[in-house]
Amino acid sequence: MTTESHHDCSHDHADHAHDHSHDHGHEHTHEHSHNGHDHDHESCDGHSHGFGFGHQHVHAPASFGRAFAIGIVLNTVYVIAEALWGVWAHSLSLLADAGHNLSDILGLGAAWLAESLARRAPTTRFTYGLRRSTILAALANATILLLVTGGIIWESVVRLFVHGPVEGMTVSWVALVGIAVNAVTALLFMKGASNDLNIRGAFLHMASDAMMSFAVVIAGLLIVWTGFQIIDPIVSLVVSASIIMATWSLLKGAVSLSLDGVPAGITPEEVQNALLAVPGVCGLHHLHIWPMSTTETALTVHLLREEAASQTSEQIITQASVILREKFGISHPTFQIESPPVSCDLQQACC
């Protein structure tokens, strides 16, 4: 197997991007965006990537720090008030709901911590930084939400057979406040819920609680009008089922990303075809696509350059990088350029 060999450490800061080329029979390119940080890499020896600590990447998530702060404050005040009201009214259901809403604060705190960690600069030990913490937070949020919902289902089933007194009007008024708190908090994260699994986890957590609070209001009013205590657990079971259905996709996506699955919205076959369409490329192998975080995707691939190709390796890398970034949102590609004949790994088919 032969490869194109270059020893060129050029940096182009015109569009806040730069390429790295290395002299070990292959080339790598990484694109970074800089928020006003000028820096120089003094060497390009061996396989050093000059990690560029402090870079912010093109697809880094927008900051939701203010949204997290507001959400945590609102929910903390509500939980304290609900617990105090539950003690005053001798309402077990309100105390239980206060404990449930405490999970909102924990979920928001975990998501906020993950977003903050994702913005920390890479180090020599964590060369990608701590971006993957957003994936772990999404997984934790989905798990917590399902566990809490499971607890509600258990309590609801018990109350189907053992009816307890429910102060319908009191519960309805408190739950009405809960709708406002949870709905406002959910709206703060709606903008980022479609393209960031970590933010989506926070959004679903709050939206689910708004649904539960709405159901509690309806159940409380029906109990006051009809006197049937069994309405409370039945409504809780129906809402719990809808929450599980909404949360399942979040859990599935978080597990997939935590196992380095290809992010949703990216089809490996389409990526492969797009790279094969680059002028000068006659084949590829060792194509790997994985998430660096809930918003950033990395890719590595070996590209086979045509012997008679007029395009240089640098031109191939540049065009392939643009295609990956603009068409698939892949901002961290790494390429190895090879020349035929090439020996393919039996574990990976050549194209």
Side-chain angles (χ1 to χ4, degrees), residues 65-80:
R66 184 179 180 184
F68 281 118
I70 294 174
I72 289 176
V73 170
L74 284 177
N75 281 271
T76 300
V77 171
Y78 177 65
V79 166
I80 294 174

Side-chain angles (χ1 to χ4, degrees), residues 322-345:
V322 171
I323 290 174
L324 292 176
R325 182 178 63 252
E326 295 182 352
K327 188 174 182 180
F328 303 101
I330 298 175
S331 57
H332 262 273
T334 302
F335 303 96
Q336 177 168 318
I337 304 296
E338 300 173 344
S339 299
V342 63
S343 176
C344 292
D345 189 336

Side-chain angles (χ1 to χ4, degrees), residues 261-276:
V262 177
I266 298 178
T267 304
E269 290 76 14
E270 293 181 1
V271 174
Q272 175 178 292
N273 292 335
L275 290 174
L276 288 174

Side-chain angles (χ1 to χ4, degrees), residues 4-56:
E4 296 294 326
S5 177
H6 296 266
H7 190 78
D8 178 21
C9 285
S10 61
H11 300 268
D12 180 11
H13 290 271
D15 291 317
H16 300 286
H18 60 272
D19 296 335
H20 298 270
S21 300
H22 305 281
D23 181 20
H24 274 265
H26 57 274
E27 288 127 287
H28 299 264
T29 179
H30 295 270
E31 298 194 2
H32 303 270
S33 71
H34 308 275
N35 293 333
H37 298 294
D38 295 328
H39 64 279
D40 294 314
H41 298 296
E42 296 182 357
S43 65
C44 195
D45 299 328
H47 287 73
S48 170
H49 287 252
F51 293 113
F53 306 145
H55 295 186
Q56 295 294 327

Side-chain angles (χ1 to χ4, degrees), residues 45 58 175-176 185 191 206 243 259:
D45 299 328
V58 174
L176 194 61
T185 307
K191 183 178 180 180
M206 304 313 303
I243 291 175
L259 295 176

